[in-house]
Amino acid sequence: MIAPKMFPRRNARILTGIGFLTIAGLMVYKTVGPFESTKNPEALHGPRAKSARDDAADLLTQSPQHLRKQKEYENQILANIQKMSAHKAMQRRMNHDPMGVILHKRPSLLQGLGRVRDMKEQAGSVVQRSVVPENQLKHKIVHLDLKGAPPKVEYFKKLFPLLHSFGATGLLMEYEDMFPYWGKLEFLSAHNAYAKGDIADIIELAKKSSLIIIPLVQTFGHMEHVLKLKEFAELREVPNYPQVVCPTNNKTLPLIKMMIDQVMQLHPGTDWLHIGSDEVYNLGECTRCQQYLLHHQFGKSDLFLHHVRSVAKYVKENYDVQPIMWDDEFRKIPLKAMEDSKVGEVLEIMVWKYSSGIMVDLRSDIWEKYSTVFGGIWVASAFKGAANPDSYITNINDRLSNHKEWMEIFELYKSTIPFQGIVLTGWQRFDHFGVLCELLPQAVPSLAVNLMYINERKADHGALVKVGDMLKCSSFINLDLQYLEYANKCDFPGSAFYEVSQKLYILKRDINTMMKNPHVTGWVSDYNIEHNFVSPQHAEQGLQDLTMLLFDYGKVMNEAETALSDVFDEYTVKEWISLNVKPTHTKLQKLHASISKLQKVKYWPRRPLDSTETKEL
């Protein structure tokens, strides 16, 4: 599908193509018909011009048999065009994702011949949508990464029913420092963490929307929120790095058990607990671990397996709950070591990959190893937060490609692997110390599109229109930021911030275009401004949109603050504005002030510009 502003140019090409083929078809027909003389270009000039025009007029009054044959031929040409376009559309979907979809408007042939198949599918979509595909993934879990930026409980009240309508069956809640730890662990909670009553409300809201909750507790890697603190610094595997806990420290397991106890106390009745343990970058590096490895004749893999099995066993034996763990550390562990550790008796595995190339990175031998060891296997995609650590807007096409690859994996292995379900991760920070990235409200359309694809294996016009209707979008859903021309207007929980994020993206792109204008790069550089040596004419030509962009940017900054306040607390609002809006706004203000000052300059010094004369001026 294509953005509206691209229609006129493409339609012109399509009309030209249809006109050419139709005329060509008539000319071919006339080589065997009564008007053969007109096939000669020379016949349209000179004395015979009138005869040619008469012949052309006769085309409109030829016999019914000729008209019927002509019509049949034209229909045949159009059918071939449609067939060819549908084939190309299929190829595009195999190799590329759509750029967007126009809503509430049935596309005609001239609005994109590549939509022919979509139109046919849309016509029968009511029947098709009611059919649940066989061997569907049972669980479609939405990951809510809450660290350092907790959405308001009131927002969840509006969001959870929508997630259920998208086809979600549960939530993976990664609280981290947003969990209300108490007693000896109260220092693990941020000052703006949820209260115990908030957790109870969240669980009740999820239950009302038929969403199960799987809490996540980090127990090995990514324990920054614990190990950053002075009180727990001694548990670090590497003294200067607060990412990984030391598995051989006698205080480590009691701490982890206490964290699990408190989380489980506030989540009664849950069937799963995710114990994290991904990206354990520093393993077996401290002196204590080195001595432990030497004494037990262990390798680092054995040390890893021993720790995660101990944690999983504690969860399973004390709470009758099934532990789940990220898989990345298991990829490099030999099958025999995993079998000897009996880790598969207490753990289910969650295989994650958020970028392209899943088939390459997760080869068949890895799947064979996992299916041999584990009785339950989950997969994890990403609907947001998997691009750049400072990204503030989600490119849906990238996320859709990730989910398409995962569904290919599912189709390939579903007969041999006990897939439990899929978790659509939505990272809000890359880790505890990372900046905010791709906040939840602006990624709701991405989540909707990808849940739709998982459920129906479709991302065609009909499926996307359905998503647009559910999100109450009025005009257009953009899937590829490369083609974003205007902000999409919708009406779902957090849609105001979705619109603001798009406006900000468009403005930043326009500002970047302005700053790369040759008039600016060649005559209005920082060096020129610093030395009051700017060409007024080039400054006016290059920065003619500066005042307007500065005004629009200030307006978007105010809109962002209002939109964010509907979802997040004041700390998250302030952090996001400081990271994503203020730096550019400040730069524009300084540039505007500098140019306003330089416009008053009427005389300029002789070079060199660093001379005493210049400085005095």
Side-chain angles (χ1 to χ4, degrees), residues 589-604:
Q589 286 179 317
K590 288 182 178 179
L591 180 60
H592 189 271
S594 297
I595 296 303
S596 298
K597 179 182 177 182
L598 289 169
Q599 285 176 336
K600 299 176 182 179
V601 177
K602 303 301 180 183
Y603 310 100
W604 294 269

Side-chain angles (χ1 to χ4, degrees), residues 60-184:
L60 301 176
T61 57
Q62 57 187 287
S63 68
Q65 292 85 358
H66 289 160
L67 287 173
R68 179 172 54 79
K69 289 183 178 180
Q70 177 182 325
K71 188 66 176 178
E72 289 175 355
Y73 192 81
E74 290 178 3
N75 289 339
Q76 182 181 351
I77 291 174
L78 286 174
N80 288 338
I81 293 174
Q82 292 177 4
K83 184 177 180 180
M84 177 180 65
S85 299
H87 177 68
K88 288 184 176 179
M90 183 181 298
Q91 287 184 322
R92 283 199 302 272
R93 292 190 186 93
M94 293 296 292
N95 301 315
H96 304 284
D97 290 313
M99 292 174 281
V101 59
I102 293 180
L103 304 174
H104 309 306
K105 184 177 181 182
R106 184 183 179 91
S108 68
L109 182 64
L110 299 184
Q111 287 175 316
L113 291 174
R115 292 182 181 164
V116 172
R117 193 185 72 171
D118 293 342
M119 293 166 62
K120 292 178 180 178
E121 290 179 348
Q122 186 181 6
S125 59
V126 175
V127 176
Q128 293 172 359
R129 288 173 189 165
S130 64
V131 178
V132 178
E134 294 182 1
N135 299 323
Q136 266 280 14
L137 284 163
K138 181 179 179 182
H139 296 288
K140 277 85 67 173
I141 309 295
V142 176
H143 170 239
L144 297 180
D145 178 21
L146 307 173
K147 50 181 175 276
K152 296 177 180 178
V153 176
E154 279 299 309
Y155 179 68
F156 288 145
K157 186 176 182 179
K158 302 171 186 175
L159 180 67
F160 288 176
L162 190 63
L163 299 185
H164 175 70
S165 69
F166 294 158
T169 62
L171 306 167
L172 177 63
M173 304 292 287
E174 185 164 354
Y175 296 106
E176 208 201 56
D177 59 343
M178 292 300 113
F179 187 80
Y181 290 104
W182 63 89
K184 295 180 180 179

Side-chain angles (χ1 to χ4, degrees), residues 275-557:
I275 60 173
S277 304
D278 60 322
E279 297 181 329
V280 185
Y281 294 135
N282 309 109
L283 176 63
E285 296 184 13
C286 73
T287 303
R288 182 185 290 103
C289 284
Q290 289 288 329
Q291 292 175 347
Y292 183 88
L293 293 175
L294 184 63
H295 178 73
H296 290 85
Q297 293 296 295
F298 272 7
K300 290 187 178 182
S301 295
D302 299 312
L303 179 61
F304 175 82
L305 291 168
H306 177 75
H307 177 74
V308 298
R309 189 181 189 281
S310 297
V311 174
K313 186 177 179 183
Y314 176 79
V315 172
K316 197 155 190 175
E317 290 182 351
N318 286 270
Y319 294 100
D320 192 26
V321 167
Q322 177 60 57
I324 309 172
M325 220 186 83
W326 300 117
D327 86 297
D328 52 300
E329 294 297 329
F330 286 107
R331 296 175 197 176
K332 55 195 175 188
I333 299 178
L335 172 61
K336 187 176 187 309
M338 292 169 63
E339 288 181 320
D340 291 345
S341 71
K342 301 187 184 305
V343 69
E345 296 178 358
V346 292
L347 267 176
E348 289 184 352
I349 199 74
M350 188 169 287
V351 189
W352 63 274
K353 174 73 174 173
Y354 311 141
S355 58
S356 60
I358 299 177
M359 288 281 191
V360 175
D361 291 345
L362 299 173
R363 305 176 309 275
S364 58
D365 59 316
I366 292 178
W367 292 107
E368 184 179 355
K369 178 172 67 173
Y370 287 169
S371 62
T372 301
V373 174
F374 300 104
I377 297 176
W378 300 70
V379 298
S381 58
F383 74 90
K384 76 177 186 76
N388 298 307
D390 61 342
S391 175
Y392 63 89
I393 188 168
T394 302
N395 195 51
I396 299 178
N397 256 348
D398 292 342
R399 302 297 94 229
L400 181 58
S401 296
N402 179 235
H403 288 85
K404 286 182 176 181
E405 286 196 38
W406 270 121
M407 291 303 98
E408 289 176 5
I409 290 286
F410 173 68
E411 291 297 330
L412 185 62
Y413 292 107
K414 65 184 179 183
S415 62
T416 56
I417 291 179
F419 287 115
Q420 292 280 57
I422 185 171
V423 169
L424 296 86
T425 64
W427 301 99
Q428 199 153 253
R429 301 181 193 271
F430 272 33
D431 70 18
H432 182 80
F433 288 95
V435 299
L436 289 171
C437 72
E438 300 184 26
L439 294 181
L440 176 61
Q442 64 81 34
V444 169
S446 174
L447 180 57
V449 167
N450 287 298
L451 276 169
M452 173 69 69
Y453 185 79
I454 288 171
N455 282 314
E456 300 192 12
R457 305 295 197 274
K458 286 183 181 180
D460 57 22
H461 185 270
L464 293 173
V465 165
K466 182 178 179 181
V467 171
D469 289 341
M470 295 173 76
L471 296 175
K472 300 179 181 178
C473 297
S474 60
S475 56
F476 182 74
I477 294 180
N478 175 269
L479 300 185
D480 195 324
L481 295 176
Q482 180 181 354
Y483 303 100
L484 180 63
E485 297 294 336
Y486 59 91
N488 309 156
K489 292 184 177 294
C490 303
D491 186 17
F492 58 83
S495 59
F497 182 63
Y498 169 61
E499 184 176 346
V500 165
S501 298
Q502 295 174 94
K503 288 182 179 179
L504 182 63
Y505 183 85
I506 294 169
L507 270 175
K508 285 193 173 186
R509 185 177 61 196
D510 291 344
I511 291 167
N512 187 53
T513 299
M514 179 185 71
M515 297 306 295
K516 288 184 177 181
N517 187 305
H519 294 287
V520 176
T521 58
W523 284 272
V524 196
S525 68
D526 291 340
Y527 179 85
N528 291 84
I529 293 174
E530 180 185 351
H531 292 85
N532 295 325
F533 201 73
V534 173
S535 166
Q537 184 177 10
H538 283 288
E540 290 173 5
Q541 286 180 288
L543 299 171
Q544 59 183 340
D545 295 330
L546 176 59
T547 301
M548 180 188 67
L549 289 173
L550 181 59
F551 174 80
D552 290 343
Y553 206 87
K555 185 178 179 182
V556 166
M557 183 163 64

